[in-house]
Amino acid sequence: MKEGNVSNKVVEVLYRKFHRPYNVLEEKNWDKPLTEEPFYLSDIELVFLLFELEKQYDRYVNSEYLDNYGYCTINNISNIMENI
């Protein structure tokens, strides 16, 4: 699984499930926290995103990956999903 493909899947979920416009989901924003501008995801939405990606990739994300805001940007999520 290529990292770019994982990032694109995260973007797809954010677009499809959370109705974030594609201009917000541009690659230049992939290192910005998902809970802040321009994404503004809630805590519940982040959990839903986690569950959705675990289901799609048939992988379980251990809590160690969630420590220290490890699961807060598109790039970080992509790296986590790529490495588990």
Side-chain angles (χ1 to χ4, degrees):
M1 169 177 14
K2 293 183 179 179
E3 185 175 315
N5 291 339
V6 176
S7 297
N8 290 334
K9 182 57 83 173
V10 175
V11 166
E12 179 186 321
V13 171
L14 290 171
Y15 175 77
R16 192 171 30 87
K17 299 281 185 177
F18 301 109
H19 310 291
R20 297 310 190 267
Y22 273 123
N23 66 326
V24 167
L25 300 170
E26 293 177 343
E27 191 170 350
K28 69 179 182 179
N29 294 326
W30 289 5
D31 285 316
K32 294 181 180 179
L34 292 171
T35 55
E36 297 178 8
E37 185 183 351
F39 304 105
Y40 300 110
L41 291 181
S42 70
D43 298 345
I44 299 298
E45 289 172 321
L46 276 178
V47 171
F48 183 81
L49 177 63
L50 170 69
F51 291 156
E52 184 71 20
L53 293 171
E54 283 182 333
K55 182 173 76 175
Q56 287 184 15
Y57 287 107
D58 195 29
R59 296 179 178 189
Y60 174 74
V61 177
N62 292 324
S63 63
E64 66 191 52
Y65 292 110
L66 305 177
D67 292 342
N68 298 318
Y69 303 102
Y71 199 85
C72 70
T73 70
I74 292 172
N75 280 330
N76 283 359
I77 292 168
S78 178
N79 289 331
I80 288 168
M81 298 308 290
E82 181 73 23
N83 292 309
I84 58 170

